[in-house]
């Protein structure tokens, strides 16, 4: 405890995200917002205004939604390569999930010691990557007029519906991701500036902080 | 759009709270009746269709059968399908004029995400309003008959309009007008059903015991109907579906998943709001102060 208090008293910054990682993240975010807003417009037709909001006209949305979708997948591919090593499951992750109620009450640092990423982040990582792959495949199959006209209608139909299901789950996942970042103050700043305070690191990722300090 | 019809009974991507203009919904339903047993396969209807609608299909090549063009396309809204069926040592040449069936419950309209791109008139005609079409191809997935085609050139969906422009000024569709044998008839749906009854009983008396009218209930009936000599096996006619319905996937997507997703989003946002208001931000600086006072 005393050791931790000593850490908490210092106010120096710790580098957490490299420039490349941050750029990759925010480019992916922009693509995500573009496809999500236009996709919601396609899914809920009463919100047709969303089709025009990002891409100007509904027709432009039809043309550009897949392009930005591919942009998002490429961005995620970069993030996958950069982060996959930190997203592998570990023993401690079970404890995190067992204490998820306490964690939601804001007592994560009291019940688990988190490393580079907590178990929830890891789970979300795999969820996002899996759904992105599903969205890519179903989206390519349903892409008019390039692929869909040459494929069986039954397959295209299935993919259009699966695409919306996968998108729904992904959007909720990303929302939770963004909410967590908003809830844990100092997190968004870390993803913008690249640095976090040592206090932040000691509370949310103490094992990671120790590792950083050793090296 | 300068010409107003104000007789839409359904409009794509709108709901009951935002109904289409339907002041003139009292009109009789119309239907085109295609009597397959009288058709001689001359393709005059194909020519009349492309002539009236001013369409230019690419000149095809002979692929060893009489079908030409081989399929529907953005420039071919009706096409003759020729099937040679050999059964019990007898050859039958079954010819069917394929195209939009103008369903009472149109899958294209259900699937379409663009308000007003697919409309259903009070007389039953299902039409694409191209200026609202965004080319997404959802109508293709909604159609149980595989009719709509997306143009790769202009990214709009095309199909038979039942010559809505002719019908709305009191004329019959171009294919009906031109058919030299009277195999294609046009009138109110009631009248056409009556005509079909007579034809069916005549076919039955001539030995086609399974002759019947094709007006499938699964899509609420259609405004293009067939008299078939083998109504028990419509698949013989180039895969005409026996019991066409809008795919359960499309129904799930639009009727169940869409409202569930809306509720899912709403619940998630409200849950996040409640959580944040209840727990408050986790701020390392503030947290530290608390811990200190405890210790």
């Amino acid at each position: 405890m005393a050791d931790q208090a000593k850490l908490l008293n210092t106010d120096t910054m710790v580098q957490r995200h490299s420039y490349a990682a941050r750029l990759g993240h925010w480019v992916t975010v922009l693509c995500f917002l573009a496809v999500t807003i236009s996709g919601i417009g396609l899914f809920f037709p009463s919100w047709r205004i969303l089709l025009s909001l990002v891409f100007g006209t509904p027709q432009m949305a039809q043309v550009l939604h897949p392009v930005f979708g591919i942009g998002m997948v490429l961005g995620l591919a970069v993030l996958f390569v950069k982060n996959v090593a930190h997203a592998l499951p570990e023993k401690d992750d079970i404890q995190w999930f067992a204490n998820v109620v306490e964690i939601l009450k804001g007592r994560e640092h009291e019940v688990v010691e988190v490393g580079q990423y907590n178990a929830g982040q890891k789970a979300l990582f795999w969820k996002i990557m899996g759904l992105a792959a599903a969205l890519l495949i179903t989206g390519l199959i349903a892409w008019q007029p390039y692929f869909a006209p040459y494929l069986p209608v039954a397959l295209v139909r299935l993919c259009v519906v699966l695409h919306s299901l996968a998108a729904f789950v992904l959007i909720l996942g990303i929302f939770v991701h963004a909410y967590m970042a908003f809830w844990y103050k100092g997190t968004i700043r870390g993803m913008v500036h690249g640095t976090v305070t040592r206090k932040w690191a000691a509370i949310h990722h103490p094992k990671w902080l120790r590792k950083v300090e050793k090296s | 759009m300068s010409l107003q019809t104000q007789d839409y009974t359904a409009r794509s991507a709108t709901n009951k709270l935002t109904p289409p203009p339907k002041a003139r919904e009292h009109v009789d339903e119309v239907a085109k009746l295609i009597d397959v047993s009288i058709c001689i396969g001359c393709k005059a209807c194909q020519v009349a269709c492309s002539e009236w609608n001013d369409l230019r299909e690419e000149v095809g090549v002979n692929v060893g059968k009489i079908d030409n063009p081989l399929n529907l396309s953005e420039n071919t809204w009706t096409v003759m399908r020729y099937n040679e069926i050999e059964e019990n040592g007898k050859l039958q040449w079954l010819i069917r004029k394929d195209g939009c069936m103008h369903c009472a419950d149109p899958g294209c309209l259900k699937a379409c995400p663009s308000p007003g791109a697919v409309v259903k008139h009070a007389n039953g005609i299902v039409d694409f309003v191209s200026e609202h079409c965004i080319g997404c191809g959802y109508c293709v997935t909604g159609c149980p008959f595989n009719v709509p085609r997306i143009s790769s050139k202009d990214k709009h969906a095309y199909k038979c309009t039942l010559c809505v422009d002719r019908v709305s000024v009191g004329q019959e569709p171009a294919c009906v007008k031109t058919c030299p044998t009277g195999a294609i008839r046009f009138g109110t749906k009631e009248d056409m059903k009556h005509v079909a009854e007579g034809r069916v009983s005549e076919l039955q008396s001539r030995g086609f015991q399974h002759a019947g009218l094709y007006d499938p209930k699964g899509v609420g009936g259609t405004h293009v109907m067939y008299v078939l000599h083998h109504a028990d096996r419509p698949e013989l006619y180039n895969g005409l579906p026996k019991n066409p319905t809008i795919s359960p996937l499309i129904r799930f997507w639009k009727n169940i998943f869409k409202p569930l997703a809306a509720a899912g989003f709403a619940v998630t946002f409200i849950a996040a709001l409640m959580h944040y208001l209840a727990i408050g931000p986790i701020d390392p600086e503030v947290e530290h102060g608390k811990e200190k006072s405890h210790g």
Side-chain angles (χ1 to χ4, degrees):
Chain A
M1 203 61 209
D3 191 31
Q4 198 182 7
K6 201 176 116 197
L7 284 180
L8 290 172
N9 279 332
T10 56
D11 200 18
T12 44
M13 306 303 285
V14 189
Q15 180 73 27
R16 183 154 167 86
H17 303 292
S18 69
Y19 175 75
R22 281 176 284 146
L23 186 66
H25 176 267
W26 289 111
V27 169
T28 306
V29 168
L30 289 178
C31 289
F32 168 80
L33 287 176
V35 285
T36 296
I37 293 169
S38 55
I40 296 269
L42 276 173
F43 185 72
F44 297 116
S46 297
W47 290 93
R48 184 169 69 158
I49 189 171
L50 297 181
L51 283 180
S52 310
L53 191 66
V54 195
F55 294 124
T57 68
Q59 267 180 287
M60 283 298 278
Q62 194 277 330
V63 172
L64 292 177
H65 174 94
V67 176
F68 277 74
I70 288 173
M72 182 184 83
V73 169
L74 290 178
L76 284 173
V78 172
L79 296 178
F80 181 87
V81 172
K82 285 191 91 72
N83 289 309
V84 65
H86 306 304
L88 300 174
E90 287 166 295
K91 248 196 216 154
D92 293 357
D93 295 339
I94 300 165
Q95 211 197 337
W96 192 94
F97 283 114
N99 286 291
V100 74
V101 175
E102 288 300 306
I103 289 164
L104 282 175
K105 286 180 187 164
R107 303 177 51 216
E108 184 183 36
H109 57 290
E110 295 169 31
V111 290
V112 280
E113 274 224 303
V114 175
Q116 172 103 18
Y117 291 114
N118 67 46
Q121 287 174 301
K122 290 179 190 176
L124 193 69
F125 173 89
W126 291 107
K127 185 175 134 179
I128 289 171
M129 294 304 167
L131 288 168
L135 285 163
L136 176 69
I137 294 164
T138 54
L140 283 177
I141 289 172
W143 197 354
Q144 288 279 6
Y146 303 110
F147 300 103
Y150 308 103
L151 295 165
V153 173
L155 176 68
V156 176
R157 178 183 296 136
L158 179 68
C159 286
V160 165
V161 178
L162 287 180
H163 195 80
S164 65
L165 280 166
F168 171 70
V169 180
L170 179 68
I171 291 166
L172 286 189
I174 297 291
F175 175 78
V176 170
H177 170 71
Y179 173 73
M180 288 300 182
F182 169 75
W183 183 37
Y184 282 2
K185 299 300 175 198
T187 308
I188 294 172
R189 184 211 143 94
M191 192 40 91
V192 177
H193 297 244
T195 52
V196 291
T197 63
R198 289 184 65 179
K199 285 175 186 171
W200 182 94
I203 281 187
H204 297 309
H205 300 278
K207 264 159 74 181
W208 168 75
L209 179 62
R210 282 203 296 275
K211 222 174 103 188
V212 172
E213 294 208 320
K214 250 189 222 164
S215 58
Chain B
M1 182 143 170
S2 50
L3 179 72
Q4 291 212 77
T5 51
Q6 298 176 332
D7 67 345
Y8 297 147
T9 50
R11 192 170 176 269
S12 59
T14 47
N15 57 43
K16 286 195 179 104
L17 295 172
T18 56
K22 46 171 102 179
R24 300 185 192 108
E25 65 175 339
H26 52 272
V27 300
D28 285 333
E29 287 185 34
V30 296
K32 182 161 79 183
L33 180 67
I34 302 170
D35 189 340
V36 167
S37 68
I38 300 177
C39 173
I40 57 169
C42 67
K43 297 182 189 164
C45 53
Q46 283 185 194
V47 175
C49 178
S50 56
E51 195 173 13
W52 175 259
N53 292 301
D54 208 2
L55 303 169
R56 299 287 183 279
E57 182 58 272
E58 263 178 59
V59 176
V61 292
N62 189 321
V63 294
K65 54 179 190 169
I66 192 169
D67 299 53
N68 191 353
L70 273 177
N71 209 335
L72 297 168
S73 79
E74 66 268 33
N75 296 314
T76 299
W77 297 351
T78 188
V79 72
M80 310 295 297
R81 311 279 197 183
Y82 300 83
N83 290 270
E84 292 165 26
I85 307 289
E86 255 186 289
E87 273 178 344
N88 309 321
K90 278 186 180 170
L91 176 72
Q92 290 187 80
W93 204 28
L94 303 181
I95 307 163
R96 178 168 67 89
K97 173 190 180 318
D98 194 8
C100 177
M101 300 294 285
H102 297 271
C103 307
D105 183 14
C108 54
L109 190 146
K110 182 164 211 58
C112 175
S114 184
V118 184
V119 294
K120 200 182 94 176
H121 294 271
N123 63 10
I125 293 179
V126 178
D127 201 15
F128 288 175
V129 182
S130 297
E131 69 204 273
H132 295 318
C133 174
I134 62 172
C136 66
Y138 287 6
C139 54
V140 178
T141 70
C143 177
F145 296 98
N146 189 16
V147 166
R149 294 291 185 272
I150 309 291
S151 164
S152 54
K153 252 186 274 166
D154 63 31
K155 294 179 187 151
H156 285 90
Y158 292 97
K159 70 164 188 67
C160 159
T161 68
L162 209 69
C163 284
V164 65
D165 46 352
R166 293 173 59 90
V167 171
S168 57
V169 294
Q171 296 200 42
E172 60 203 342
C175 57
V176 179
K177 177 95 179 164
T178 204
C179 180
T181 65
I184 318 175
R185 312 263 307 247
F186 183 79
T188 67
K189 182 150 178 177
E190 276 316 300
D191 285 353
M192 290 304 105
K193 276 180 165 174
H194 186 69
V195 170
E197 260 173 45
R199 282 298 304 157
V200 167
S201 59
E202 195 190 327
L203 283 168
Q204 282 171 345
S205 73
R206 279 169 45 197
F208 292 104
Q209 52 178 346
H210 296 297
L213 177 67
Y214 186 82
D215 177 24
K217 293 287 159 286
V219 288
T222 52
H223 294 90
V224 171
M225 306 186 291
Y226 293 109
V227 170
L228 304 175
H229 0 49
H230 307 292
D232 57 328
R233 287 180 297 162
E235 319 83 58
L236 292 179
Y237 303 86
N238 205 82
L240 186 63
K242 184 158 191 168
N243 190 15
T245 55
I246 300 177
S247 162
L249 266 176
I250 299 293
R251 289 192 184 280
F252 163 77
W253 178 33
K254 293 287 179 175
N255 295 354
I256 300 171
F257 180 47
K258 202 175 78 170
L260 274 185
F265 283 131
V267 166
T268 307
F269 298 156
I270 291 167
L273 179 69
M274 287 170 65
H275 178 260
Y276 195 75
L277 295 182
I279 308 290
I282 304 298
D283 192 331
E285 315 293 326
V286 178
E287 203 70 21
H288 175 56
K290 252 192 224 163
E291 273 182 9
K292 235 178 163 183
S293 66
H294 283 195

